[in-house]
Amino acid sequence: MHIRTARWADKDRVAALIADALHPSPLAAWLAPDSAKRRQVLADVVGIWVEHAMFYGDIHLTDDLTAAAVGFHRYRPIPPPANYRTRLTGAAGGHADRFDLLDALLAEAQPTEPHYHLAFLAVRPDAQQTGRGAALLAHHRSRLDCIGLPSWTTVFAGVEHLLARHGYTPRPAIALPGGPALHPMRCNAHRSSGMPINPSRLVDNRWQNFHV
């Protein structure tokens, strides 16, 4: 299958793809307990981050638009999305406090040194178990080896084995109050990039990091 870099015109379809993949998960139910609004909330909030990745990261997807990987270049601190608080409230409505809590918990786990942040890896439900996720991870790993930086991500329980096959190792789990456990994972660089350690905590990891 062919993997290409996403264009600006793809951003809404990428957000919809991720929302479709995330929708059946326990995390989605925890973030948006209102099942009637859940799919739209997910698409609108994910859309904020997909757009942000167009400026501060990259998006790769399969040509048939069934799978996508969204990441951020955290070589130095990056700003949050423009008008994030207003946009999050508009997108999530009464569920915004759940996203805020997840933001805070993920911020405690995220590395402070320069790294690549694999924020989303998603395959549309009707295309899962077809090798698309593995193909995107292999593509992602080849790029990591070129830049020589570690990568960080977070996965649901049961998905760790897929990331482990591509060099990721588990970190301490994150427990959501009344919700599912999340599992941060780190992939060390194969070679040193020579980049300095940045001692300041990065400011906009937020709630992304899910692989479905």
Side-chain angles (χ1 to χ4, degrees), residues 35-57:
S35 59
K37 297 180 179 179
R38 185 176 303 146
R39 169 61 176 70
Q40 191 61 54
V41 167
L42 294 172
D44 289 347
V45 177
V46 168
I48 297 171
W49 291 102
V50 168
E51 178 182 304
H52 199 50
M54 291 281 183
F55 297 101
Y56 293 99

Side-chain angles (χ1 to χ4, degrees), residues 185-196:
M185 300 188 77
R186 177 189 174 96
C187 181
N188 289 326
H190 275 183
R191 64 177 177 82
S192 173
S193 67
M195 295 185 70

